Amino acid sequence: MSDSQTTPGSGHTVQLADIAERTGYSLATVSKVLNGRSDVAAGTRQIIEEALRDSGYTKRISTTKNRKLIEAVFQNFDNIWSLEMLRGIVHEASAHEMSVVTTESGDRSHPDSRWVEGVLRRQPLGVVLVFSNLTESEKSRLQAFNIDYVTLDPAGDPSPDNLSVQADNWTGGLIATRHLLSLGHTRIGIITGPNSMLCSKARLDGYKAALDEHDIPFDPDLVREGDFSTAGGYLQSMGVYEAARTLDLKIPEQLSVIGFDDVQTAAYMGPALTTVRQPLQDMAAAAVRMIIDKSHGRPLQNRSIYPTTLIVRDSTRPLEISEPH
């Protein structure tokens, strides 16, 4: 890496020594910040990063060794949903002769604090963050290394300046509830994901909108918060099936069930699950393409929203009303 750089449009060569003089920190400290070292105080890092940005200085990558690498960051791989996403990432990366490294790190809102150090060492072309987002400091550190990132199915509302891919969750909640209403059901419960997540709120809002269309009052007692797992509170479709079994309720004779995602196992459940499909593999592939397109300077939209569709199978049926005696 060169310790000097010409500022675009000025003809002036910016040296790290200039940054050191401007900020009052040593050349060694400036170099540590530029190279993503962790042994620098947060306040010092912020001052130096701002000076680097103001000067137009960006790190020159001295090797293209890992420019054929995509990093995918998941909270964990303990569910089929994550594997579907990973399959889409790997398939698209392979089509571009790129490799994928996966990381289990942090939680739904943010990667583990140690993750950024590792990604700066690995220097992939870009990062696909599932659910998570980054702090401004982490964004700056990735930018210094020319590492782009895309948030896949963001937990919160992504900034318009950040790349993101998500499904139309509001419409998904709407069409699922409309389907049950069309079958004559009026007492309709919903198990959301975590209340803090954007997709959970959007699906719940779609559910409420469908009820409102039929002048059915929203009943908060029919809403439960799940955590996108099977065991967590007898959650989402597979967990609901098991809960119905233990309560001796027959699906769909006594209970209609609609899932969300349409993962591969949905069609093989007994009975086959009616579900809202979000194209997980397509969304994941799109995230990889966004990174590649940006690296080539191609025009792209920062936010990509994929449609959701209803797949009707055997777990829903019209409500049977007994004849009065």
Side-chain angles (χ1 to χ4, degrees):
M1 182 194 76
S2 171
D3 66 351
S4 65
Q5 184 177 99
T6 300
T7 303
S10 70
H12 174 65
T13 300
V14 178
Q15 297 186 341
L16 292 188
D18 298 330
I19 305 298
E21 183 177 356
R22 182 184 306 178
T23 59
Y25 292 103
S26 69
L27 182 60
T29 301
V30 173
S31 180
K32 285 181 179 181
V33 171
L34 188 64
N35 286 284
R37 294 275 296 277
S38 60
D39 53 340
V40 179
T44 300
R45 182 184 305 281
Q46 182 177 355
I47 292 171
I48 294 174
E49 285 176 344
E50 288 177 356
L52 287 166
R53 284 196 300 272
D54 291 345
S55 70
Y57 195 105
T58 57
K59 180 182 174 68
R60 294 180 184 272
I61 303 298
S62 58
T63 175
T64 58
K65 177 182 178 182
N66 287 331
R67 307 319 287 181
K68 302 293 284 183
L69 181 68
I70 296 288
E71 180 152 344
V73 183
F74 292 81
Q75 179 193 4
N76 54 56
F77 293 103
D78 65 356
N79 55 65
I80 301 171
W81 185 94
S82 295
L83 296 178
E84 290 280 313
M85 286 290 200
L86 180 58
R87 186 174 288 113
I89 292 171
V90 170
H91 184 269
E92 186 66 23
S94 298
H96 295 274
E97 299 182 339
M98 301 186 72
S99 299
V100 176
V101 59
T102 59
T103 306
E104 282 187 303
S105 179
D107 55 29
R108 292 187 180 95
S109 61
H110 192 266
D112 186 276
S113 58
R114 295 168 297 179
W115 167 78
V116 72
E117 309 298 337
V119 76
L120 293 182
R121 288 193 300 271
R122 291 184 287 275
Q123 292 188 25
L125 178 67
V127 176
V128 177
L129 290 159
V130 180
F131 292 148
S132 301
N133 212 331
L134 302 175
T135 65
E136 291 303 317
S137 176
E138 288 165 340
K139 292 176 186 178
S140 295
R141 297 178 73 183
L142 293 184
Q143 184 180 32
F145 279 74
N146 298 325
I147 300 173
D148 294 316
Y149 77 95
V150 178
T151 307
L152 182 54
D153 201 10
D157 192 13
S159 166
D161 297 330
N162 296 337
L163 301 178
S164 65
V165 181
Q166 62 195 95
D168 186 353
N169 288 287
W170 185 87
T171 298
L174 179 77
I175 60 178
T177 312
R178 278 178 175 172
H179 176 63
L180 293 173
L181 290 165
S182 74
L183 298 175
H185 298 287
T186 56
R187 183 172 171 79
I188 301 172
I190 180 172
I191 302 176
T192 69
N195 291 336
S196 60
M197 295 187 66
L198 181 67
C199 62
S200 302
K201 296 175 183 176
R203 294 175 195 177
L204 180 60
D205 286 344
Y207 158 87
K208 290 178 180 178
L211 294 179
D212 189 59
E213 288 176 345
H214 287 71
D215 296 320
I216 297 175
F218 169 68
D219 184 353
D221 289 339
L222 295 178
V223 180
R224 291 292 183 272
E225 180 184 3
D227 63 358
F228 292 145
S229 69
T230 301
Y234 277 80
L235 168 73
Q236 281 82 274
S237 48
M238 284 185 283
V240 170
Y241 271 46
E242 176 60 17
R245 185 191 66 79
T246 61
L247 294 171
D248 201 25
L249 290 173
K250 295 181 179 179
I251 300 172
E253 291 85 356
Q254 295 171 286
L255 179 69
S256 286
V257 179
I258 295 184
F260 209 102
D261 293 338
D262 194 32
V263 294
Q264 286 187 339
T265 56
Y268 302 102
M269 294 171 66
L273 180 66
T274 296
T275 183
V276 174
R277 173 181 291 165
Q278 58 171 332
L280 299 177
Q281 293 190 36
D282 292 343
M283 292 162 57
V288 174
R289 286 196 301 273
M290 290 173 87
I291 290 172
I292 294 171
D293 287 346
K294 188 170 183 182
S295 71
H296 286 89
R298 298 168 186 154
L300 72 163
Q301 292 183 331
N302 284 4
R303 180 179 293 192
S304 180
I305 300 178
Y306 274 68
T308 47
T309 53
L310 182 68
I311 308 300
V312 178
R313 297 193 180 100
D314 301 328
S315 65
T316 52
R317 69 157 48 176
L319 178 66
E320 296 180 2
I321 303 176
S322 300
E323 294 292 332
H325 295 291

